[in-house]
């Protein structure tokens, strides 16, 4: 039975473990944290959103980013301090602009395929993750914004997504709790939401029941190929507490989020992931009025770049912003405040007396597409770099990389 190591127990690592164990592999997952899903897979926006598959490599995004650079509460914030990694990543990001159309189509098609895999996993394993299959509603405050979005909508529909324009009256009918004036919107009834943390933890438990070994508090320090040139097998050095050990595997799959870049370098590959920070708040709906005033339909406010998800009866997730500031995980009050203020403005009956702030680092490649498949060295594979769509794409990319590991070259 082939022995496969996975680095990382976030959403991509755990879905990969599940796909591999079901193919008959002996799987060991190495996670530097004490539990699964405690980093970027902890408190994201909650959307399983093919409708948000548009890549960011466009001239419109660049122009918005330049306007926002010196506004502290802007949806996109760039720390201008010099960093070779940051500026080489931005240069590669700009070079992907001609591939905007092709990359968006590839992403939306992958997202549509992924949703059925994820729903089937949850059904098969009995995972409760506050799934709401009520669709996602994108709203636009001006005619100009709406018309720009119409061009994107045509591209998403070309990729196979059913997504229709809606009037202000239809917006109100779809989500009666929403307050505000909007020119129009687009509604994707097939999209859904859920709690990524609950799903990943539930799937990790299912993996363990099927024989997957999880090594928590395990920091991987080196990857080395075994045997002579062209040989197979990977030696992995790791530490757990004061203990240092080495184990050998037939293959390793790197699913390490923003740390994937360093593991790729160990294996002789260049995987230019940059950490793009995002923030969220979880609004605790502690009283009946708040529960009645918060939305059940998931939203995306395009101007504010804010998304929402209802996580059961008593939680409401509001997330957004993108911050290019290196590996900084600080939760900044001036980045949380826009999320709270947006909630108060559009859902005034929902109390924000108790909100839980969070920040996570999205592992983003310049193309906005994940790296899935073989590396340069025999036995090294990648399933990483999903950016803001890790939750949306993970179930499909896990199947793809598991096929790559299982099938001969």
């Amino acid at each position: 039975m082939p022995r496969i190591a996975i680095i990382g127990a976030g959403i991509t690592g755990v879905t990969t473990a599940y796909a591999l164990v079901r193919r008959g592999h002996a799987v060991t997952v190495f996670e530097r944290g004490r539990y699964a899903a405690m980093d970027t897979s902890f408190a994201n926006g909650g959307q399983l959103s093919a409708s948000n598959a548009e890549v960011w490599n466009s001239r419109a995004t660049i122009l918005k980013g330049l306007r926002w650079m010196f506004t502290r509460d802007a949806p996109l914030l760039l720390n201008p301090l010099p960093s070779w990694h940051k500026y080489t990543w931005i240069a590669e990001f700009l070079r992907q602009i001609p591939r905007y159309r092709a990359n968006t189509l590839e992403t939306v098609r992958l997202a549509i395929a992924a949703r059925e895999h994820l729903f089937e996993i949850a059904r098969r394993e009995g995972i409760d993750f506050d799934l709401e299959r009520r669709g996602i509603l994108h709203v636009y405050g001006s005619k100009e914004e709406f018309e720009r979005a119409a061009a994107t909508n045509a591209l998403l529909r070309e990729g196979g997504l059913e997504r229709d324009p809606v009037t202000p009256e239809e917006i109100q009918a779809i989500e009666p709790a929403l307050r505000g004036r909007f020119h129009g919107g687009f509604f994707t009834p097939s999209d859904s939401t859920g709690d990524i943390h609950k799903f990943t933890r539930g799937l990790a438990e299912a993996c363990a029941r099927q024989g997957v070994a999880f090594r928590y508090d395990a920091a991987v320090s080196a990857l080395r190929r075994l045997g002579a040139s062209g040989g197979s097998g990977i030696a992995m050095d790791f530490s757990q507490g004061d203990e240092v050990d080495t184990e050998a595997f037939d293959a390793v799959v790197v699913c390490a989020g923003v740390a994937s870049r360093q593991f790729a370098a160990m294996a002789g590959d260049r995987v230019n992931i940059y950490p793009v920070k995002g923030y969220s708040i979880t609004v605790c709906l502690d009283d009946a009025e708040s529960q009645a005033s918060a939305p059940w339909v998931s939203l995306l406010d395009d101007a504010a770049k804010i998304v929402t998800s209802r996580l059961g009866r008593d939680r409401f997730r509001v997330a957004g912003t993108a911050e290019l500031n290196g590996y900084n995980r600080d939760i900044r009050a001036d980045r949380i405040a826009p999320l709270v203020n947006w909630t108060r403005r559009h859902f005034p009956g929902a109390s924000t007396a108790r909100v839980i702030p969070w920040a996570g680092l999205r592992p983003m490649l310049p193309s906005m597409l994940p790296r899935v498949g073989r590396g340069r060295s025999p036995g090294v594979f990648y399933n990483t770099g999903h950016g803001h769509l890790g939750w949306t794409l993970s179930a499909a990319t896990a199947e793809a990389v598991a096929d790559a590991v299982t099938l001969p070259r």
Side-chain angles (χ1 to χ4, degrees):
M1 181 184 295
R3 298 188 70 230
I4 313 298
I6 295 172
I7 304 176
I11 184 64
T12 57
V14 174
T15 51
T16 299
Y18 184 76
L20 286 167
V21 76
R22 285 180 57 81
R23 285 164 170 78
H25 298 288
V27 181
T28 302
V29 180
F30 291 82
E31 167 57 46
R32 66 183 180 183
R34 183 166 290 187
Y35 311 101
M38 296 302 290
D39 206 332
T40 306
S41 298
F42 187 74
N44 74 350
Q47 291 188 333
L48 292 159
S49 53
S51 60
N52 202 19
E54 180 190 14
V55 299
W56 299 357
N57 313 80
S58 69
R59 289 177 176 82
T61 300
I62 301 305
L63 291 173
K64 286 181 181 178
L66 292 173
R67 290 198 302 269
W68 287 334
M69 268 191 66
F70 302 104
T71 305
R72 290 182 66 84
D73 63 351
L76 174 64
L77 189 64
L78 169 67
N79 184 340
L81 291 176
S83 161
W84 177 254
H85 182 199
K86 177 167 56 187
Y87 285 112
T88 55
W89 185 91
I90 291 172
E92 291 182 36
F93 177 92
L94 295 174
R95 287 200 293 272
Q96 287 289 326
I97 289 176
R99 291 196 53 78
Y100 160 82
R101 174 184 170 81
N103 289 351
T104 296
L105 286 171
E106 182 175 348
T107 304
V108 70
R109 289 166 180 158
L110 186 60
I112 292 169
R115 61 162 64 121
E116 296 309 320
H117 287 298
L118 187 139
F119 294 152
E120 175 58 22
I121 290 169
R123 184 202 61 77
R124 184 188 302 128
E125 303 301 337
I127 302 171
D128 176 12
F129 62 105
D130 295 322
L131 174 65
E132 293 293 339
R133 300 181 70 168
R134 300 176 188 244
I136 294 179
L137 174 62
H138 289 213
V139 295
Y140 303 86
S142 71
K143 181 180 180 181
E144 181 184 11
E145 292 170 352
F146 179 79
E147 289 177 347
R148 281 200 301 266
T152 301
N153 191 60
L155 188 57
L156 296 177
R157 289 184 67 88
E158 183 180 338
L161 186 66
E162 294 184 11
R163 185 172 182 259
D164 297 313
V166 290
T167 65
E169 293 75 22
E170 289 170 324
I171 288 173
Q172 194 62 40
I174 292 168
E175 182 44 75
L178 178 63
R179 299 291 178 265
R181 299 183 64 181
F182 301 100
H183 177 82
F186 289 92
F187 184 55
T188 311
S190 58
D191 274 347
S192 56
T193 59
D195 187 326
I196 186 174
H197 182 73
K198 290 179 69 173
F199 178 86
T200 309
R201 293 290 291 270
L203 186 57
E205 292 171 3
C207 287
R209 290 193 299 269
Q210 296 180 40
V212 174
F214 284 86
R215 302 285 181 82
Y216 293 114
D217 289 322
V220 176
S221 57
L223 301 175
R224 293 175 285 106
R225 195 171 72 186
L226 296 173
S229 176
S232 62
I234 303 293
M236 180 181 293
D237 299 341
F238 64 97
S239 60
Q240 286 184 288
D242 296 330
E243 301 295 322
V244 179
D245 204 350
T246 300
E247 284 193 40
F249 295 91
D250 296 294
V252 60
V253 186
V254 178
C255 305
V258 296
S260 297
R261 180 171 174 259
Q262 70 188 55
F263 292 118
M266 295 176 189
D269 289 309
R270 184 174 184 272
V271 179
N272 192 20
I273 285 173
Y274 190 83
V276 179
K277 189 197 290 187
Y279 292 84
S280 78
I281 58 172
T282 302
V283 182
C284 300
L285 305 173
D286 293 329
D287 57 81
E289 181 183 359
S290 294
Q291 292 165 12
S293 300
W296 282 97
V297 172
S298 179
L299 305 168
L300 188 150
D301 183 336
D302 190 71
K305 303 300 181 189
I306 285 176
V307 304
T308 75
S309 298
R310 184 70 176 263
L311 303 177
R313 180 181 59 85
D314 58 0
R315 292 185 301 149
F316 176 43
R317 179 72 47 77
V318 181
T321 78
E323 186 176 306
L324 278 70
N325 193 20
Y327 293 87
N328 181 294
R329 288 180 167 83
D330 293 346
I331 299 175
R332 292 173 43 177
D334 62 339
R335 304 295 281 163
I336 292 296
L339 303 179
V340 176
N341 293 337
W342 185 92
T343 304
R344 290 173 175 170
R345 182 166 62 255
H346 292 291
F347 304 99
S351 172
T352 53
R354 191 162 71 95
V355 302
I356 302 170
W358 175 84
L361 301 179
R362 308 176 183 100
M364 198 164 284
L365 285 159
S367 67
M368 307 288 293
L369 296 173
R371 171 74 181 269
V372 182
R374 298 177 183 274
R376 180 180 303 172
S377 296
V380 176
F381 298 83
Y382 297 94
N383 184 18
T384 190
H386 296 64
H388 66 298
L389 293 175
W391 179 214
T392 297
L393 303 179
S394 57
T397 61
E399 291 294 316
V401 77
D403 283 344
V405 172
T406 303
L407 299 175
R409 186 186 291 271

